[in-house]
């Protein structure tokens, strides 16, 4: 396979920045239609307490038969006869009814309304309804991010790992698996634009900051399967992030022992801007691991979200990101004790060398929204993503494997030296153009559609090898040649194009039997590299029975494809001396998953507080799979469609206010996966048969300034095989992952309550919080991966690479 050699420059980012400024000057304002003289036109937007649109809310004029319902974006419009006073009523299931009076209204009147969730007061306890879910996208409260005790800095992904059906890799990584899928099977969108992660990351130490800035997040939508056709070609999950639009000048400053962040937002009548800067340096956390040395991580990220309302019908927006994650490490020594009380072993290594990794990414997206009428919205998107990644290390070591506590001669199980070398360089660019639209055919019927073009360029220059000897013998040894235990080379330049289109139809109707929602769609895609054309039909049905409104039922099914990205179609070819060369498999096909999902929510009250119990059962039939093995975060694909399998399970979640006014939840999952690999049935590499997660928040009535948060995870260990092998030849499971993180926050300056005010400098500050986190509260030694020691008899010993131990972190947060 021959590609087109190229150089990657962030010129597209600067081009989009210039275009973002120039475009408003190129758009001419269209004249507005004058309002009717004998009637009043009332229009506006209906939102909830979080600023999210309230769809299908009823708007009516008191004393008349005039009325309408809001669109999917919460917009409404109606006309009423002119009068001295017009009373407008707003109502929606699950919200309190609101009323507004217009005195002597004339012409065109804009009336925006924010509805509060329905509540009733019982004694001194306020009961709040929990919104029902009838679709496949669940909403997660973004405010929980700030209270989440998280070693990675309050990331969205860390909160996801407490959800049913979702398991994380480890506490240092933002990668996660959904219902047995790989870490590469999850789509992530920010403001409707798909974003990507670095490709060469092999461990949580290298990963640094998540691409999602939690300080900028306004809304979180997440689906563990059965998602609509508008979302791209990944076959496990969708994470849909919307950055908030500030209402006025606002900001937040946070600092801790592991880094800090600053976010600033400002809004005027037509222009809004949001900026976020993050810096992370978690060397204190890394120093708690078994391998001692000089950890020098440095992770920086800047993001911006800009929006300008050119005209009531035109809006231009820009989303930008610059990320520089650097990881430097000079190991010195390592001592690991493992095994059982009856058969304990000790592994000791003295190191020489260092590692220097660099992951730099640039991302920019420009969008132009045009609303030709109140029922139609068209959006043009242009985006560019560039990544420049380098993994370079030369590390040698002398190791001893002994029976722990044995000092006698003969207690040595293995002794030797090794040298690991890597110079891996990858540059990639993804340029995308897309056109999306949404048309409300009537208040209960919405059609969505879109087209996209994507060009990818990849440059890969990789060279890895490992030399190992034990007791003076080089491994593997044939008595003649000096051979590496591992040797891999890759050199490729590739350019390819992807095309995709989708159309989906959404119905929401009230019937005598209950409230019914239907979302059906079709996605089409084509990739020039393998000349593959795909059709992906999807449908979701939701129903809330009239006679049992506490129940919400849903069903989803569809055909989902995992369009291969660069790692999946790299095909390793081994020669007779054990040297591996990477070829690109242009006959690779997209992995396929057929989803069947049935779920239900039951809302109820207990202890005078609201709760919701959710459950889903699912079955995913998997075919055209590209087998892979996992070592920490490194996923090594076979490069061939050579297996099939399935994933099935049950997800349960109990959500509610275990403590009044504070949301908490408990989730539990059971899962079974199977893969037919070379004629042998084995579990998939991410097969965690059970998982339990707890997220609990509390406050102290006598000390209202004190808040407490607890996050606990207990999940099955992953299947593991020895290096450069596959599960069909044998595997074992890691120990179960167990971890509890706790956080305590104290308000040095509490948020103002209604009617309160401050003077002086404090009048510009919303709140000040001082917090302390204890990571890995019970100091449990979890395993990330294994280092394999081989003696001259070719006996291999799996030495566990333990994750972080107990660590204390202090933090200060100022909101202004």
């Amino acid at each position: 396979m021959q590609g087109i050699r190229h150089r990657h420059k962030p010129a597209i980012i600067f081009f989009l920045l210039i275009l973002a400024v120039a475009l408003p000057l190129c758009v001419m304002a269209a004249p507005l239609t004058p309002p009717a003289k004998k009637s009043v036109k009332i229009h506006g937007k209906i939102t909830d307490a979080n600023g999210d649109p309230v769809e299908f809310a009823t708007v009516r004029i008191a004393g008349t038969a005039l009325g309408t319902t809001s669109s999917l974006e919460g917009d409404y419009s109606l006309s009423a006869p002119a009068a001295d006073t017009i009373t407008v009523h707003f109502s929606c299931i699950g919200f309190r009814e609101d009323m507004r009076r217009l005195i002597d209204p004339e012409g065109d009147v804009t009336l925006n309304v924010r509805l509060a969730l329905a509540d009733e007061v019982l004694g001194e306890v306020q009961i709040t309804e929990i919104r029902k879910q009838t679709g496949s996208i669940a909403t997660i409260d973004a405010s929980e991010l700030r209270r989440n005790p998280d070693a990675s800095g309050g990331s969205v992904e860390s909160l996801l790992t407490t959800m049913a059906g979702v398991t994380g890799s480890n506490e240092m990584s933002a990668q996660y698996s959904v219902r047995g899928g790989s870490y590469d099977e999850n789509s992530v969108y920010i403001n409707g634009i798909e974003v990507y992660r670095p490709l060469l990351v092999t461990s949580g130490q290298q990963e640094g900051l998540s691409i999602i800035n939690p300080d900028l997040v306004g809304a979180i939508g997440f689906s563990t399967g059965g998602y609509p056709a508008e979302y791209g070609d990944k076959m496990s999950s969708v994470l849909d992030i919307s950055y908030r639009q500030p209402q006025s000048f606002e900001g937040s400053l946070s600092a801790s022992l592991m880094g800090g962040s600053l976010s600033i937002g400002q809004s005027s009548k037509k222009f809004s801007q949001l900026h976020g800067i993050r810096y992370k340096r978690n060397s204190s956390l890394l120093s708690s691991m078994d391998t001692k040395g000089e950890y020098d991580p440095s992770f920086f990220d800047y993001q911006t979200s800009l929006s300008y309302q050119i005209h009531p019908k035109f809006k231009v927006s820009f989303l930008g990101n610059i990320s520089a994650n650097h990881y430097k490490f000079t190991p010195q020594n390592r001592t690991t004790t493992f095994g059982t009380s009856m058969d304990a072993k000790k592994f000791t290594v003295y190191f020489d060398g260092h590692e220097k990794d660099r992951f730099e990414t640039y991302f920019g997206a420009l969008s132009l929204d045009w609303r030709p009428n109140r029922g139609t919205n068209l959006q043009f998107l242009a985006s560019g993503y560039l990544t420049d990644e380098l993994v370079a290390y030369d590390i040698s070591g002398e190791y001893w494997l002994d029976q722990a506590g044995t000092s006698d001669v003969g207690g040595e199980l293995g002794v030797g030296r090794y040298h690991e070398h890597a110079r891996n360089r990858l540059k990639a660019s993804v340029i995308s153009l897309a056109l999306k639209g949404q048309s409300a055919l009537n208040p209960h019927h919405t059609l969505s559609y879109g087209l996209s073009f994507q060009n990818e360029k990849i440059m890969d220059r990789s060279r890895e090898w490992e030399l190992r000897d034990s007791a003076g013998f080089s491994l593997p040894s044939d008595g003649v040649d000096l051979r590496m235990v591992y040797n891999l080379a890759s050199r490729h330049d590739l350019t390819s194009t992807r095309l995709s289109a989708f159309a989906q139809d959404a119905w929401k109707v009230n019937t005598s039997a209950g409230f019914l929602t239907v979302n059906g769609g079709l996605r089409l895609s084509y990739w020039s590299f393998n000349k593959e054309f795909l059709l992906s039909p999807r449908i979701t049905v939701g129903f809330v029975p009239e006679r049992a409104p506490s129940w919400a039922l849903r069903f989803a099914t569809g055909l989902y494809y995992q369009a291969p990205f660069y790692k999946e179609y790299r095909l390793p070819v081994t020669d007779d001396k054990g040297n591996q060369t990477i070829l690109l498999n242009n006959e690779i096909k997209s992995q396929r998953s057929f989803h069947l999902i049935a779920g239900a929510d039951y809302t109820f009250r207990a202890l005078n507080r609201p709760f919701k119990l959710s459950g889903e059962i699912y079955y995913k039939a998997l075919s055209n799979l590209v087998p892979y093995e996992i070592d920490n975060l490194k996923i090594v694909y076979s490069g061939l469609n050579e297996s099939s399998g399935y994933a099935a399970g049950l997800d349960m979640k109990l959500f509610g206010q275990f403590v009044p006014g504070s949301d908490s939840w408990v989730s539990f999952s059971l899962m079974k996966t199977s893969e037919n690999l070379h004629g042998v049935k084995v579990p998939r590499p991410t097969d965690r048969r059970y998982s339990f997660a707890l997220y609990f928040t509390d406050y102290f009535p006598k000390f209202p300034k004190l808040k407490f948060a607890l996050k606990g995870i207990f999940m099955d260990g992953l299947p593991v095989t020895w290096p450069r092998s596959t599960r069909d030849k044998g595997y074992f499971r890691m120990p179960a992952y167990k971890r509890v993180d706790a956080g305590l926050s104290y308000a040095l300056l509490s948020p103002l309550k209604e009617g309160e005010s401050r003077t002086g400098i404090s009048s510009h500050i919303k709140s000040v919080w001082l917090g302390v986190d204890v990571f890995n509260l019970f100091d449990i030694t979890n395993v990330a991966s294994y280092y394999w020691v081989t003696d001259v008899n070719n006996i291999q010993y799996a030495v566990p690479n333990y994750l972080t131990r107990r660590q204390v972190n202090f933090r200060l947060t100022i909101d202004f």
Side-chain angles (χ1 to χ4, degrees):
M1 169 61 67
Q2 294 183 346
I4 297 176
R5 192 169 182 179
H6 60 281
R7 299 179 61 188
H8 296 265
K9 297 180 180 179
I12 183 65
I13 307 302
F14 300 104
F15 171 76
L16 291 176
L17 283 168
I18 296 173
L19 190 57
V21 176
L23 187 59
L25 303 177
C26 302
V27 179
M28 302 300 294
L32 294 174
T33 303
K37 297 180 179 180
K38 297 183 180 180
S39 64
V40 178
K41 187 177 182 180
I42 306 170
H43 60 86
K45 189 179 187 70
I46 304 174
T47 59
D48 59 16
N50 297 322
D52 297 325
V54 176
E55 55 192 32
F56 300 112
T58 299
V59 184
R60 60 183 179 86
I61 306 298
T64 73
L66 300 174
T68 187
T69 56
S70 61
S71 68
L72 292 174
E73 293 80 29
D75 297 315
Y76 75 93
S77 176
L78 77 167
S79 297
D84 294 338
T85 301
I86 296 179
T87 302
V88 187
H89 289 267
F90 301 86
S91 61
C92 185
I93 296 175
F95 294 88
R96 284 187 294 179
E97 184 173 345
D98 201 355
M99 178 192 68
R100 301 296 172 89
R101 286 191 175 92
L102 304 177
I103 308 300
D104 293 327
E106 295 181 356
D108 198 328
V109 177
T110 300
L111 182 59
N112 296 323
V113 175
R114 177 166 291 186
L115 296 181
L117 290 172
D119 58 44
E120 56 179 310
V121 178
L122 301 178
E124 298 180 353
V125 181
Q126 186 179 37
I127 306 302
T128 305
E129 295 290 342
I130 299 177
R131 197 170 185 179
K132 297 177 177 62
Q133 178 188 342
T134 56
S136 59
I137 304 293
T139 301
I140 301 173
D141 187 0
S143 65
E144 298 295 339
L145 294 173
R146 311 199 71 179
R147 290 187 282 182
N148 178 24
D150 175 27
S152 62
S155 67
V156 173
E157 295 89 342
S158 173
L159 195 64
L160 289 184
T161 60
T162 64
M163 303 296 168
V166 185
T167 56
S169 53
N170 59 63
E171 66 271 11
M172 292 187 295
S173 171
Q175 301 199 38
Y176 55 92
S177 168
V178 177
R179 292 176 173 173
S182 79
Y183 306 138
D184 296 329
E185 295 178 11
N186 308 304
S187 294
V188 179
Y189 292 81
I190 299 179
N191 290 357
I193 302 157
E194 188 170 10
V195 295
Y196 303 88
R197 305 177 191 272
L199 299 175
L200 296 184
V201 171
T202 60
S203 67
Q205 295 94 307
Q206 301 171 326
E207 189 170 322
L209 294 163
S210 163
I211 194 170
I212 304 169
N213 188 333
D215 295 335
L216 310 185
V217 173
I220 305 173
F222 184 64
S223 174
T224 52
Y227 35 91
E230 63 182 294
Y231 296 107
D233 298 317
K234 295 292 179 72
M235 65 181 190
S236 282
S237 75
V238 164
L239 176 60
D240 193 354
I241 301 294
S242 296
Y243 282 169
R244 69 179 188 275
Q245 286 196 345
Q247 301 301 314
S248 59
F249 180 79
E250 61 181 51
S252 177
L253 174 65
S254 179
S256 75
L257 297 180
M258 297 192 301
S261 65
L262 171 67
S263 64
I264 295 178
Q266 179 269 335
S267 179
S268 61
K269 186 175 181 180
K270 292 186 176 181
F271 178 71
S272 69
Q273 56 182 324
L274 191 61
H275 306 273
I277 296 176
R278 293 179 293 167
Y279 180 75
K280 179 180 176 181
R281 186 178 176 83
N282 59 345
S283 54
S284 61
L285 184 67
L286 297 176
S287 63
S288 68
M289 303 175 70
D290 282 352
T291 301
K292 306 304 179 183
E294 297 179 9
Y295 289 93
D296 186 19
S298 176
F299 308 123
F300 171 82
D301 172 87
Y302 167 73
Q303 296 190 29
T304 182
S305 178
L306 310 174
S307 177
Y308 180 68
Q309 191 76 41
I310 304 173
H311 181 271
K313 293 186 177 183
F314 290 95
K315 182 178 74 172
V316 64
S317 303
F318 177 77
L319 177 67
N321 168 243
I322 298 175
S323 176
N325 294 332
H326 295 175
Y327 175 73
K328 299 178 182 179
F329 177 46
T330 303
Q332 296 174 350
N333 62 77
R334 164 183 173 172
T335 299
T336 302
T337 302
F338 64 100
T340 65
S341 59
M342 301 298 294
D343 185 23
K345 295 178 176 62
K346 184 172 70 173
F347 180 63
T348 305
V349 188
Y350 293 97
F351 297 101
D352 185 26
H354 60 271
E355 177 179 357
K356 293 183 178 180
D357 305 329
R358 182 183 73 242
F359 305 94
E360 297 179 351
T361 60
Y362 307 87
F363 174 75
L366 183 70
S367 65
L368 175 65
D369 289 80
W370 176 42
R371 185 181 291 271
N373 55 63
R374 297 197 177 276
T376 301
N377 184 73
L378 299 175
Q379 184 182 54
F380 175 76
L381 294 166
S383 66
Y385 169 82
L386 305 177
T387 181
D388 186 356
E389 306 176 27
L390 173 66
V391 173
Y393 55 80
D394 271 292
I395 297 176
S396 61
E398 296 185 2
Y399 65 82
W400 289 264
L401 179 65
D402 307 300
Q403 290 289 158
T406 300
S407 58
D408 300 335
V409 177
E412 293 179 348
L413 300 175
V415 59
R417 297 175 56 88
Y418 72 90
H419 188 171
E420 295 177 342
H421 167 92
R423 292 293 185 274
N424 297 336
R425 183 73 179 269
L426 186 141
K427 292 184 177 181
S429 68
V430 180
I431 308 300
S432 300
L433 298 174
L435 176 64
K436 297 181 180 180
Q438 191 174 74
S439 299
L441 305 182
N442 59 57
H444 308 289
H445 185 193
T446 303
L447 183 65
S448 302
Y449 38 87
L451 297 168
S452 68
F453 165 86
Q454 182 170 298
N455 178 261
E456 301 169 0
K457 294 183 178 181
I458 297 173
M459 184 205 76
D460 175 22
R461 302 289 186 270
S462 298
R463 180 72 177 178
E464 300 178 4
W465 54 260
E466 180 182 353
L467 176 65
R468 187 180 302 179
D469 72 69
S470 181
F473 291 87
S474 178
L475 299 176
S477 176
D478 58 7
V480 179
D481 296 324
L482 176 64
R483 297 172 59 182
M484 303 291 182
V485 68
Y486 170 64
N487 188 10
L488 181 143
S490 176
R491 183 182 181 88
H492 292 286
D493 296 276
L494 176 69
T495 298
S496 64
T497 300
R498 301 179 194 261
L499 302 173
S500 65
F502 77 91
Q504 69 181 37
D505 206 354
W507 292 74
K508 293 190 177 183
V509 294
N510 272 309
T511 69
S512 58
F515 181 66
L516 176 67
T517 66
V518 179
N519 187 311
L522 180 67
R523 187 173 187 87
L524 300 88
S525 60
Y526 172 79
W527 187 26
S528 64
F529 178 70
N530 62 354
K531 308 296 188 296
E532 184 181 36
F533 182 79
L534 302 173
L535 290 175
S536 175
R538 309 172 187 181
I539 187 170
T540 303
V541 180
F543 183 65
V544 179
E546 178 68 26
R547 295 186 177 182
S550 297
W551 286 92
L553 310 175
R554 57 187 176 273
F555 172 79
T557 186
L559 195 58
Y560 295 83
Y561 289 93
Q562 175 78 15
F565 206 62
Y566 187 64
K567 290 193 295 183
E568 285 102 315
Y569 54 87
R570 297 172 82 238
L571 178 63
V573 177
T574 306
D575 64 17
D576 56 355
K577 293 187 178 182
N579 300 315
Q580 285 190 336
T581 303
I582 296 296
L583 302 179
L584 300 184
N585 180 12
N586 62 355
E587 296 182 356
I588 194 79
K589 300 299 181 185
S590 296
Q591 302 177 87
R592 185 169 58 220
S593 176
F594 176 66
H595 291 195
L596 283 172
I597 303 169
D601 294 343
Y602 176 67
T603 56
F604 63 97
R605 293 189 176 93
L607 304 175
N608 288 333
R609 291 188 287 275
F611 290 90
K612 181 171 74 171
L613 178 64
S614 301
E616 284 192 349
I617 57 174
Y618 62 89
Y619 178 83
K620 299 195 293 187
L622 309 172
S623 56
N624 283 344
L625 293 180
V626 181
Y628 62 91
E629 304 297 337
I630 296 178
D631 180 15
N632 201 334
L633 296 182
K634 184 178 182 179
I635 300 179
V636 181
Y637 290 90
S638 72
L640 297 170
N641 301 102
E642 54 181 345
S643 69
S644 60
Y646 69 87
L650 169 68
D651 293 335
M652 301 290 295
K653 179 182 176 183
L654 177 61
F655 173 90
Q657 296 184 359
F658 295 89
V659 177
S662 184
D663 291 338
S664 304
W665 58 84
V666 177
S667 63
F668 175 71
S669 298
L670 292 173
M671 180 181 66
K672 177 177 174 57
T673 69
S674 179
E675 185 174 350
N676 188 348
L677 182 60
H678 304 147
V680 180
K681 291 186 177 181
V682 294
R684 300 208 74 200
T686 49
D687 178 66
R688 297 193 189 267
R689 297 167 295 185
Y690 58 84
S691 64
F692 174 85
L694 166 70
Y695 182 78
F696 181 77
T697 58
D698 195 2
Y699 67 92
F700 303 89
K702 294 184 179 180
F703 303 96
K705 292 187 175 184
L706 202 59
K707 292 188 177 182
F708 174 75
L710 182 75
K711 183 179 72 175
I713 294 177
F714 176 55
M715 57 187 177
D716 191 20
L718 295 175
V720 180
T721 186
W722 53 91
R724 293 166 289 282
S725 183
T726 53
R727 282 156 291 134
D728 58 301
K729 299 177 182 178
Y731 69 90
F732 66 97
R733 283 188 180 271
M734 289 183 181
Y737 181 93
K738 304 175 286 292
R739 185 179 176 92
V740 175
D741 298 327
L744 193 65
S745 301
Y746 179 77
L748 298 177
L749 190 65
S750 299
L752 287 173
K753 298 180 180 179
E754 188 175 352
E756 294 181 343
S757 62
R758 297 191 184 105
T759 58
I761 298 178
S762 63
S763 63
H764 302 287
I765 300 176
K766 294 180 181 179
S767 63
V768 179
W769 291 88
L770 179 65
V772 58
D773 298 319
V774 181
F775 303 133
N776 199 355
L777 181 64
F778 300 114
D779 199 27
I780 298 171
T781 52
N782 292 302
V783 178
S785 59
Y786 290 90
Y787 182 82
W788 292 81
V789 178
T790 307
D791 62 17
V792 293
N793 297 316
N794 207 30
I795 298 176
Q796 292 187 323
Y797 300 89
V799 182
N801 296 316
Y802 290 119
L803 288 163
T804 59
R805 304 295 292 271
R806 183 190 294 124
Q807 191 74 208
V808 178
N809 179 53
F810 295 94
R811 51 186 164 80
L812 176 68
T813 303
I814 303 174
D815 295 326
F816 53 90

